[in-house]
Amino acid sequence: AQTVTQSQPEMSVQEAETVTLSCTYDTSESNYYLFWYKQPPSRQMILVIRQEAYKQQNATENRFSVNFQKAAKSFSLKISDSQLGDTAMYFCAFMHNQAGTALIFGKGTTLSVSS
Amino acid sequence: DTGVSQDPRHKITKRGQNVTFRCDPISEHNRLYWYRQTLGQGPEFLTYFQNEAQLEKSRLLSDRFSAERPKGSFSTLEIQRTEQGDSAMYLCASSGLAGGPEETQYFGPGTRLLVL
């Protein structure tokens, strides 16, 4: 069975600094998707960034980028120029490349950004 | 399009009562998912619909849980004879056609259930 591991329960960073959240996963599949979702306190989960496993190029979305290492089964999220609004729980998630499959989530990393 | 909506946002009930939650997906999405999230944990998959057909159910979905999507639009999740262990956030997500960005699941705000 696929598993997703986030080894950092909590992280903190100062405004404007850069922080990296770690994620590793276990799968025997070669074709799949990886996601980072953000869940602010008492607010809904939103998609931060998505990576297709067949793409070697790392995905980027404005201040958010990933370091996808397929052989190592590692998928870290880098947040540059951190802002107070980045304070949230961040979840790494895995999904098979198959229609209608469920997301498998890690336990999350709580990120606190302070001024 | 206002995204995925869920109703109610909060529900407090007594043990043994039945509760029903509703999810309205993004209008053009034909796939709908239910997840459960307990405090400090990531969401766990419960069940999945493609149009009106329920195609997959997790073993987490006990006999007391039932989900429907009668016309392939909104979905309901019912919990019968609630137990204190059912207290959690129930999340709904939807996605479009397979492949490409349409496979991404978009989440609603969730229904937080507290069973006393």
Side-chain angles (χ1 to χ4, degrees), chain A residues 90-108:
Chain A
Y90 286 80
F91 291 99
C92 177
F94 169 98
M95 188 176 78
H96 290 292
N97 182 18
Q98 180 179 334
T101 57
L103 287 163
I104 300 168
F105 287 86
K107 291 189 175 182

Side-chain angles (χ1 to χ4, degrees), chain A residues 35-54:
Chain A
F35 304 84
W36 279 97
Y37 282 88
K38 165 186 176 181
Q39 189 175 41
S42 301
R43 294 180 61 187
Q44 71 188 79
M45 193 168 307
I46 59 173
L47 177 69
V48 174
I49 200 165
R50 161 197 168 111
Q51 175 80 43
E52 290 88 347
Y54 64 86

Side-chain angles (χ1 to χ4, degrees), chain B residues 42-92:
Chain B
E44 295 176 293
F45 170 73
L46 292 178
T47 190
Y48 152 67
F49 290 86
Q50 181 169 316
N51 299 313
E52 66 275 10
Q54 188 174 17
L55 297 185
E56 190 175 349
K57 292 194 290 186
S58 162
R59 54 188 171 82
L60 290 177
L61 209 68
S62 76
D63 292 344
R64 297 183 298 104
F65 287 70
S66 63
E68 294 183 340
R69 195 182 182 196
K71 296 182 180 179
S73 57
F74 73 92
S75 175
T76 58
L77 177 68
E78 180 183 15
I79 309 174
Q80 296 182 325
R81 304 180 305 280
T82 52
E83 302 173 355
Q84 289 182 326
D86 297 331
S87 295
M89 175 78 88
Y90 290 85
L91 296 169
C92 177

Side-chain angles (χ1 to χ4, degrees), chain B residues 11-61:
Chain B
K11 179 71 177 179
I12 300 174
T13 191
K14 293 182 179 179
R15 185 164 51 99
Q17 298 294 304
N18 299 343
V19 294
T20 300
F21 310 141
R22 176 180 170 127
C23 170
D24 286 89
I26 294 171
S27 58
E28 62 268 27
H29 284 178
N30 63 340
R31 292 192 171 87
L32 188 148
Y33 307 79
W34 286 98
Y35 292 83
R36 181 172 68 186
Q37 184 180 22
T38 53
L39 200 61
Q41 301 293 317
E44 295 176 293
F45 170 73
L46 292 178
T47 190
Y48 152 67
F49 290 86
Q50 181 169 316
N51 299 313
E52 66 275 10
Q54 188 174 17
L55 297 185
E56 190 175 349
K57 292 194 290 186
S58 162
R59 54 188 171 82
L60 290 177
L61 209 68

